[in-house]
Amino acid sequence: MSPVRVRQHVNPLASKFQTPTASPDWESIYTQPNLPLHLDIGCARGRFVLKMAQIEANWNFLGLEIREPLVVEANRIREEMELKNLHYMFANVNNSLVSLLSNLPPGRLQKVTIQFPDPWFKNRHAKRRVVQRELVTELANYLAVGGVVFLQSDIQFVAEEMCDRFYEHPAFEKLGTTTWLAENPLPVPTEREIATFNKGEPVYRALFRKKTEILDSRGT
């Protein structure tokens, strides 16, 4: 079957993407729902978490993607491979994270990856970028203490902006002593990461850890 063709850039502020995605039935999408959860935001075709789910069977993986045809295709491949610790969902994470994670037991979300998000180069399009302050606050509310967020981009200003958002939030601390990580701490590179490496261009990576619990609007 030929790869699904979709638009490369999707405006998350468009009206058709404003309905929040509801939380899944965690016990129905995972055979072992009590395993720690790795959330991949903007998973595209889902190849990264597909490989991660095969390598790390003691984790559950959830890929979120705003381009629905890619989600349908990724779930088809997952079903063919009979992976019981992986699921993909169509979602605009900037208005769906709270509804998606509303019934996830505390402490379950332990790892988040945001890799090579659409840069939206023009300043007037800055609100279309995925890492907004609201998203960081929501991640702080749901991520387990000690949980990590891995960020990477091949566009330096995007990587810097993402890092600034996490620096600003008191729940997070940056790991490592250098501005950027020299290597990817995860065992699987993304397709974009491989392509960037093959062109001899730099990748800007950073790892943040949730160091403390922050009281949120839910009173937890």
Side-chain angles (χ1 to χ4, degrees):
M1 181 178 293
S2 300
V4 174
R5 294 184 179 276
V6 297
R7 292 182 61 185
Q8 184 175 358
H9 304 291
V10 174
N11 179 7
L13 302 181
S15 59
K16 63 181 178 180
F17 299 121
Q18 297 316 299
T19 301
T21 300
S23 180
D25 179 353
W26 302 102
E27 294 188 359
S28 68
I29 65 173
Y30 298 122
T31 300
Q32 300 182 72
N34 293 328
L35 293 177
L37 180 66
H38 177 160
L39 176 65
D40 188 41
I41 295 175
C43 67
R45 298 184 186 277
R47 301 298 191 263
F48 164 73
V49 278
L50 181 72
K51 294 179 180 178
M52 288 291 294
Q54 295 173 73
I55 293 173
E56 299 189 347
N58 58 335
W59 282 75
N60 285 329
F61 294 85
L62 178 63
L64 300 183
E65 174 56 42
I66 197 170
R67 293 167 291 179
E68 192 169 15
L70 295 184
V71 175
V72 173
E73 176 69 2
N75 274 321
R76 182 190 65 79
I77 294 172
R78 169 192 58 82
E79 290 173 2
E80 288 181 351
M81 298 183 67
E82 299 183 346
L83 291 170
K84 306 300 184 182
N85 64 332
L86 173 63
H87 191 72
Y88 300 96
M89 294 188 69
F90 163 61
N92 177 358
V93 70
N94 289 110
N95 63 23
S96 294
L97 193 64
V98 172
S99 56
L100 274 169
L101 302 181
S102 61
N103 66 350
L104 186 71
R108 191 73 51 79
L109 180 61
Q110 296 189 23
K111 190 174 295 180
V112 177
T113 43
I114 306 174
Q115 305 180 82
F116 304 94
D118 195 322
W120 294 106
F121 290 102
K122 297 178 181 179
N123 287 336
R124 70 174 184 269
H125 292 158
K127 289 298 289 183
R128 299 181 184 184
R129 297 174 194 147
V130 67
V131 180
Q132 303 290 335
R133 291 182 177 87
E134 295 82 1
L135 180 71
V136 175
T137 296
E138 291 164 2
L139 288 175
N141 290 339
Y142 287 99
L143 191 64
V145 172
V148 296
V149 179
F150 177 57
L151 309 169
Q152 62 173 341
S153 176
D154 54 344
I155 307 298
Q156 186 171 356
F157 88 85
V158 172
E160 290 173 346
E161 183 179 79
M162 291 194 294
C163 287
D164 287 345
R165 297 285 187 264
F166 282 91
Y167 274 129
E168 293 168 0
H169 199 287
F172 291 102
E173 61 181 353
K174 185 174 178 291
L175 300 180
T177 58
T178 58
T179 302
W180 305 112
L181 297 176
E183 297 181 352
N184 188 336
L186 301 175
V188 176
T190 70
E191 293 174 283
R192 180 63 175 267
E193 184 177 359
I194 293 170
T196 303
F197 175 80
N198 289 339
K199 290 187 292 185
E201 298 176 353
V203 173
Y204 306 95
R205 308 180 182 94
L207 189 67
F208 286 81
R209 177 171 59 201
K210 183 178 174 184
K211 61 182 179 179
T212 185
E213 199 65 70
I214 298 294
L215 291 178
D216 63 20
S217 60
R218 298 171 299 159
T220 58

